Amino acid sequence: MTSFQKPTVLVLGVSGQIGGFVLEHLDKYPEALNVRITARRPEQVAALQQQGREAALLDLDNPTTFAAALHGVERVFLLTGYTVAMLTQSKTFVDAARKARVQHIVHLGVFGRWDCTDPHIGWHQLVETYIEASGISWTHIHPNMFMEQIPKFMRIRNDRFPIFWGPGRMGWIAAQDVGSVVATVLREGPAKHGGQNYWLSAEIAGGEELATIFSEVLGRPIRCDYKKPEDFAATMELTGDYSVEPWYAAGALEFLKQFSDGRMGDFGTVRDDTPYLTGEKPRSLRQWAQDHRLLLCLSISTDYGLPDQANA
Ligand SMILES: NC(=O)c1ccc[n+]([C@@H]2O[C@H](COP(=O)([O-])OP(=O)(O)OC[C@H]3O[C@@H](n4cnc5c(N)ncnc54)[C@H](OP(=O)(O)O)[C@@H]3O)[C@@H](O)[C@H]2O)c1
């Protein structure tokens, strides 16, 4: 504890989508926790400190950075990126957290059923099992597909967007709601949330529902093209600005295949703990699309209907 008796929480991944929202939420409750954020380059740490942040150097690929970052920390938000390296990163980091006497790890995982056979879902499950075996109190967060994936992998071109998993309806959650849930759990701590699994899948929608929402929000007819899971790799190359390492990309492709053929049909389920944790209803896809209309517009390849900022 600090001199103010506030627990210190170490938050990873604040430069990314979920970690950014976690920090935004924690900033609203300055009395609750002493927040220490991390970055993996010294110049980034210095810049954050200049902004008045408590910041520590932490590179998950470099365990020599762990001890100082974890010094005096009671609670941790463990987020790893889109990489198979999450296995070694999490194993070494959890070992260090044990040595640092951390009391609670909140882990960002995935919406997988325990016996699923998809690789990247399996990696997250191995990490969760390792955390549980550490003896540190844990809370596992299981979000379904982030709505933020839409402009990345389902980019609208010439009024059409691709769906890579056939006619099934996928489960969705907004990154902002994942951030609010994680921050709430961190604030309220292990006494309330230790040993809990929380599931975040607010709504299900497939190509037809998404086409209806995009058409309404953009005010023009938008249609869905059903593609094969195998076409997904080409789309990733096409989008250009989003690179995923081959191991993780192969896991994502396997996920699309297994969702299409029904083996991972449980991802098309509404199962949502958000309101129980935050007291708020999670964002709907329609609400998310309205809030991110500009992002959707930017993903249209023609100029028609673009707001001024999008052309800047
Ligand atoms: N996309 C989905 O639909 C979905 C659904 C469920 C679960 N997930 C899970 O969500 C996680 C990714 O969350 P996100 O979308 O918020 O990721 P993100 O936006 O890509 O951000 C990743 C964050 O991790 C940091 N990071 C990466 N490598 C690091 C390292 N070696 N050491 C320290 N920090 C490192 C990045 O820092 P830098 O800025 O330095 O790179 C960044 O802050 C993954 O585990 C994924 O499996 C995703």
Side-chain angles (χ1 to χ4, degrees):
M1 295 269 187
T2 67
S3 53
F4 303 107
Q5 297 300 301
K6 289 193 289 192
T8 294
V9 59
L10 188 73
V11 181
L12 276 66
V14 292
S15 59
Q17 29 186 20
I18 300 299
F21 284 125
V22 172
L23 186 60
E24 195 177 297
H25 187 105
L26 288 175
D27 279 347
K28 293 182 196 156
Y29 300 88
E31 73 292 346
L33 292 168
N34 183 44
V35 178
R36 186 182 301 167
I37 58 177
T38 70
R40 51 177 163 161
R41 282 191 292 280
E43 62 275 18
Q44 293 170 316
V45 175
L48 291 167
Q49 287 169 343
Q50 272 171 8
Q51 293 164 24
R53 291 279 180 192
E54 181 173 334
L57 182 70
L58 188 140
D59 180 353
L60 285 167
D61 293 318
N62 181 0
T64 66
T65 61
F66 295 174
L70 284 164
H71 182 72
V73 165
E74 274 102 0
R75 301 176 193 171
V76 167
F77 173 50
L78 174 56
L79 175 148
T80 50
Y82 297 89
T83 169
V84 65
M86 71 170 75
L87 290 170
T88 311
Q89 292 173 343
S90 304
K91 186 267 180 207
T92 51
F93 183 77
V94 171
D95 293 346
R98 269 179 77 172
K99 290 193 240 178
R101 296 272 183 257
V102 167
Q103 291 162 19
H104 189 198
I105 295 180
V106 180
H107 173 252
L108 185 75
V110 278
F111 196 80
R113 205 178 55 198
W114 71 274
D115 60 347
C116 76
T117 56
D118 171 274
H120 71 306
I121 308 292
W123 306 334
H124 272 296
Q125 292 173 333
L126 286 169
V127 169
E128 285 161 5
T129 306
Y130 196 76
I131 294 171
E132 290 173 22
S134 73
I136 300 171
S137 190
W138 53 268
T139 307
H140 301 322
I141 311 294
H142 302 280
N144 211 327
M145 184 87 82
F146 300 160
M147 295 177 189
E148 281 66 15
Q149 298 298 84
I150 290 170
K152 288 178 186 158
F153 296 120
M154 297 158 59
R155 193 167 281 195
I156 302 168
R157 287 169 192 274
N158 300 321
D159 295 339
R160 308 182 80 90
F161 66 95
I163 285 278
F164 299 101
W165 60 75
R169 295 159 88 198
M170 181 69 73
W172 300 91
I173 186 80
Q176 203 167 346
D177 290 315
V178 180
S180 298
V181 163
V182 169
T184 302
V185 172
L186 287 169
R187 272 196 297 115
E188 296 178 346
K192 184 162 181 185
H193 299 292
Q196 297 299 315
N197 288 283
Y198 293 131
W199 301 86
L200 309 179
S201 181
E203 180 178 358
I204 54 169
E208 301 312 318
E209 289 91 356
L210 289 169
T212 302
I213 292 170
F214 298 162
S215 301
E216 281 174 19
V217 168
L218 296 175
R220 53 197 284 184
I222 305 289
R223 291 191 182 79
C224 159
D225 282 331
Y226 290 104
K227 305 270 188 196
K228 294 199 216 65
E230 290 76 8
D231 296 327
F232 176 62
T235 292
M236 282 204 293
E237 282 161 25
L238 209 67
T239 57
D241 59 355
Y242 195 80
S243 57
V244 178
E245 65 155 34
W247 289 99
Y248 201 98
L253 174 59
E254 185 62 22
F255 165 70
L256 293 169
K257 283 183 185 165
Q258 294 199 18
F259 184 75
S260 302
D261 69 20
R263 280 176 288 166
M264 294 182 80
D266 49 307
F267 274 70
T269 309
V270 173
R271 182 180 183 189
D272 196 68
D273 291 320
T274 309
Y276 293 103
L277 294 159
T278 66
E280 309 271 346
K281 271 173 68 174
R283 279 159 192 75
S284 65
L285 274 162
R286 183 171 272 94
Q287 210 178 335
W288 183 90
Q290 274 157 357
D291 292 348
H292 296 82
R293 189 176 177 277
L294 184 59
L295 263 184
L296 290 178
C297 287
L298 283 169
S299 72
I300 299 175
S301 60
T302 65
D303 278 348
Y304 177 83
L306 285 177
D308 288 339
Q309 305 97 299
N311 286 320

